[in-house]
């Protein structure tokens, strides 16, 4: 089951939010989606089971992964210690794209 996740605005005057993640216990992030662009950067360790649209990715220290708006994603069975930074960019931050 995929659930909608509301991303809370961290800064009143900026269209982004951030999250720093350090963890010593197993991680399971349920399959979810949101309207913001999500940029994940792994500072140390690795995320071995980042699942996006049914594909599994391994993201190591120094790597990043971008999740577009409305795309389902999850982290399954993460057991090793990681440190990561996540930036959420709200749609108001993104330029409008029009087709011709």
């Amino acid at each position: 089951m995929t659930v909608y996740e509301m991303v809370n605005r961290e800064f009143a005057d900026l269209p982004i939010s951030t999250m720093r993640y350090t963890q010593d216990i197993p991680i399971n992030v349920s399959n979810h989606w949101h309207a913001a662009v999500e940029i994940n950067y792994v500072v140390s360790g690795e995320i071995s089971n980042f699942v996006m649209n049914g594909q599994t990715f391994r993201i190591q220290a120094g790597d990043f992964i971008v999740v577009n708006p409305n795309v389902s994603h999850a982290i399954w069975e993460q057991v090793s210690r990681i440190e990561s930074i996540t930036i959420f960019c709200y749609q108001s931050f993104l330029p409008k794209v029009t087709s011709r």
Side-chain angles (χ1 to χ4, degrees):
M1 181 166 130
T2 303
V3 297
Y4 172 74
E5 177 184 69
M6 173 64 89
V7 177
N8 295 319
R9 196 168 188 140
E10 183 179 9
F11 308 104
D13 55 344
L14 292 175
I16 64 168
S17 286
T18 61
M19 180 174 64
R20 182 170 178 229
Y21 198 74
T22 59
Q23 197 71 358
D24 287 322
I25 60 174
I27 303 164
N28 276 313
V29 177
S30 300
N31 203 27
H32 67 283
W33 65 276
H34 39 72
V37 172
E38 179 178 323
I39 303 167
N40 293 292
Y41 175 73
V42 178
V43 177
S44 64
E46 80 173 25
I47 300 173
S48 52
N49 293 302
F50 192 103
V51 180
M52 181 170 46
N53 277 341
Q55 291 186 300
T56 302
F57 300 90
R58 188 176 94 186
I59 311 159
Q60 300 176 356
D63 292 344
F64 67 91
I65 190 164
V66 177
V67 181
N68 285 322
N70 308 318
V71 171
S72 64
H73 56 288
I75 298 174
W76 299 120
E77 301 174 9
Q78 178 68 35
V79 294
S80 61
R81 181 180 172 87
I82 64 165
E83 181 178 0
S84 67
I85 298 169
T86 303
I87 299 171
F88 297 98
C89 299
Y90 300 99
Q91 290 185 358
S92 60
F93 184 72
L94 305 172
K96 299 276 190 239
V97 177
T98 58
S99 59
R100 294 181 183 201

